[in-house]
Amino acid sequence: MINADLTTGPLGGHFKRLAVPAAVGMLFSTLYNVVDTFYAGYFGTQAQAGLSVGFQAFFILVAIGFGLSSAMSALVGNAKGRKDEAESRHLAVQGIGLAVMAVGAMLTIALFAGPYLIAIVSEPGDYRDAGLDYFYWLIFALPGFIVGPAANGILQARGDTRTMQRALVVAFFVNVGLNPLLMFGIPGVVGGMGFNGIALATVLSQTGVAGFILWRVFGRAMMQDLRWAEFIPVPAKYYEIIAQAFPAGFALLVTFSSGFIVQYALKDYGEAALASYGITMRIEQLFLLPALGITISLVPIAAQNFGAGQNARVREAFHRCWILGVIGTTLAFPFLWFGGGLATSVFSDDPEVIRISALFLKVEAVILPIYVVLFSINSLLQALKKAAWTMWIGIYRQWIGIALFIWFFAYVMDGGLTGVRLGIAAGVGTGLLLSLWIGLRVAEDRIGGLGSPWIRAKA
């Protein structure tokens, strides 16, 4: 079992050991979604549009899982940095119990809110029906998408990103096999489910991922000889976890729900525009993966060192994170700018979908490095136990900024689809300015400032 002390040793080695497995795991997670989009193409543009709106609605519900993951990574990481194993165990057990309770709450919300969420971003017709069916099947995956990430946050805090990597790699190959099997069945033996088979494949594979992650968590030395009494909710601990998880989860909720703002604007341009949005998000994620792996690794590294009072190492880790991420995403520019149409043709042969996707990806090529700096600042704020600021940054960038600038560029300036994408870019750019201002102020208060990225801190 991996149980790394990230407060000593070269930071470059820690980033490599944590970021590479995290990036590989996310690669297969993204490829997982790419496979779903590819198979949805067998049922045409309407199915791909339905997949886009149904998936967007579902992910709003699982934001709490990612918030709990962030909270566990930061809080358990801080406790480990202080060498407090009893507190690490207590937080881990309480966090898992809270995740189970969150599943019940999200199930209830999903049943009532799902149809309304999908209706907001779609017009009556076949693609709305497809999206709603897909969403209802995905509800059964809620335990996997909430409990799994929460448990994985515990592993990340201990320096273990390999477990999730292995789980996601296996889930990808399982999904590759289950999708066609459940969609088309076995001729002469059992019939297929059609488009809904994609959703059931996700339910089965993601439930398996969560089960494997929990098995690894409960196999750790700090979790041995557990008693049921330890799972009884302790209000003070629940409050501490929620205080860290809510802002991070809400920030991600804002990110996901911003897709509704975009889809609401795109629905005026038809099914091809909605299908293009879903496809380009998958392609964009592939090029963001190395940077995402690095920014995810920053949370446990910075959290442990902050807990240990190693402020110089926190600063150096932050600078390494965003510099490496910006370099990586800058290298992706020519592929997205010149190859967007070719990449889209893998998923659709609709000329309009290919044309719109190529336009969208040109804008993404320009703003990818901005995303990396934003994600780096968010990871630092989480590690410094100031996750509430990530929520406010997200509210501006993903709600106010995007809505305001899409309205201005697409409607006031009559920019059409180009205006929609420029609106997103403007929201991201101004969001970066806000996050930099907040990040500098928090760092000054918590670790004595960020210093210069070009002066190597003493580890």
Side-chain angles (χ1 to χ4, degrees):
M1 290 279 186
I2 297 172
N3 188 21
D5 183 352
L6 306 177
T7 63
T8 60
L11 286 171
H14 292 320
F15 268 113
K16 181 179 179 181
R17 186 165 51 78
L18 294 178
V20 172
V24 171
M26 294 187 69
L27 169 63
F28 280 90
S29 177
T30 301
L31 289 175
Y32 184 107
N33 294 329
V34 167
V35 167
D36 285 354
T37 303
F38 174 80
Y39 277 113
Y42 278 92
F43 301 97
T45 300
Q46 289 182 336
Q48 288 180 324
L51 180 74
S52 179
V53 298
F55 189 79
Q56 191 76 40
F58 174 75
F59 257 73
I60 284 180
L61 299 171
V62 300
I64 183 61
F66 294 94
L68 287 169
S69 176
S70 173
M72 291 294 95
S73 184
L75 294 175
V76 177
N78 281 173
K80 180 172 174 55
R82 298 192 304 271
K83 308 296 190 273
D84 189 343
E85 289 297 305
E87 178 70 356
S88 293
R89 172 188 175 111
H90 191 34
L91 284 165
V93 173
Q94 291 289 297
I96 291 172
L98 182 58
V100 172
M101 294 177 64
V103 170
M106 291 301 105
L107 280 169
T108 303
I109 293 173
L111 290 172
F112 289 99
Y116 298 101
L117 291 172
I118 291 174
I120 292 172
V121 295
S122 62
E123 298 290 345
D126 291 341
Y127 85 92
R128 174 186 286 184
D129 295 339
L132 193 56
D133 287 345
Y134 180 75
F135 174 84
Y136 277 134
W137 275 101
L138 278 186
I139 287 175
F140 295 102
L142 280 172
F145 278 99
I146 294 176
V147 179
N152 185 55
I154 300 167
L155 298 180
Q156 285 182 344
R158 315 289 289 187
D160 180 0
T161 56
R162 292 182 184 175
T163 294
M164 179 58 92
Q165 171 207 331
R166 293 167 182 166
L168 292 175
V169 170
V170 173
F172 165 75
F173 287 106
V174 169
N175 193 49
V176 169
L178 283 179
N179 265 339
L181 178 65
L182 295 174
M183 286 164 54
F184 305 116
I186 302 175
V189 179
V190 61
M193 298 173 60
F195 175 65
N196 289 331
I198 298 174
L200 181 56
T202 297
V203 172
L204 296 174
S205 56
Q206 294 303 316
T207 301
V209 167
F212 177 67
I213 297 296
L214 285 169
W215 175 69
R216 294 283 287 181
V217 168
F218 287 116
R220 304 195 75 84
M222 73 168 186
M223 301 291 276
Q224 296 308 299
D225 301 318
L226 279 175
R227 295 171 291 108
W228 283 110
E230 294 182 68
F231 288 94
I232 296 174
V234 176
K237 281 300 163 198
Y238 269 36
Y239 176 81
E240 182 180 3
I241 295 169
I242 291 172
Q244 183 75 17
F246 178 79
F250 190 81
L252 195 63
L253 170 64
V254 171
T255 299
F256 291 147
S257 61
S258 72
F260 275 87
I261 297 174
V262 177
Q263 289 175 333
Y264 182 82
L266 290 177
K267 74 176 183 176
D268 293 337
Y269 301 96
E271 297 168 0
L274 286 166
S276 296
Y277 180 68
I279 291 171
T280 55
M281 290 301 97
R282 303 290 190 270
I283 296 172
E284 173 201 66
Q285 288 165 7
L286 286 172
F287 288 94
L288 266 175
L289 287 174
L292 288 172
I294 295 170
T295 57
I296 288 172
S297 302
L298 177 61
V299 178
I301 293 173
Q304 282 198 26
N305 283 284
F306 179 61
Q310 302 267 19
N311 293 343
R313 285 173 65 86
V314 176
R315 287 191 288 269
E316 184 184 353
F318 171 70
H319 292 312
R320 281 177 178 267
C321 178
W322 75 258
I323 291 171
L324 290 172
V326 167
I327 291 172
T329 49
T330 300
L331 294 175
F333 178 89
F335 298 97
L336 292 171
W337 187 272
F338 298 107
L342 179 62
T344 305
S345 66
V346 174
F347 305 97
S348 175
D349 57 5
D350 186 327
E352 185 65 4
V353 171
I354 294 173
R355 182 189 70 80
I356 297 172
S357 297
L359 167 66
F360 286 178
L361 288 171
K362 280 183 168 61
V363 178
E364 294 303 312
V366 175
I367 64 176
L368 280 189
I370 298 177
Y371 280 124
V372 174
V373 181
L374 277 164
F375 297 159
S376 299
I377 294 172
N378 281 348
S379 292
L380 178 66
L381 292 171
Q382 291 162 14
L384 299 182
K385 300 174 75 171
K386 289 292 184 179
W389 284 114
T390 66
M391 177 180 69
W392 296 113
I393 293 170
I395 287 173
Y396 168 75
R397 180 171 70 88
Q398 301 286 4
W399 280 354
I400 299 172
I402 284 182
L404 176 63
F405 288 113
I406 286 179
W407 168 78
F408 178 75
F409 285 110
Y411 297 101
V412 175
M413 301 298 293
D414 197 23
L417 286 171
T418 302
V420 173
R421 294 309 297 183
L422 288 177
I424 295 172
V428 173
T430 54
L432 173 62
L433 296 176
L434 175 63
S435 66
L436 283 172
W437 179 73
I438 291 172
L440 288 169
R441 288 176 63 88
V442 170
E444 184 68 32
D445 177 62
R446 305 290 276 181
I447 58 174
L450 289 177
S452 170
W454 312 117
I455 299 175
R456 181 179 177 84
K458 292 181 180 180

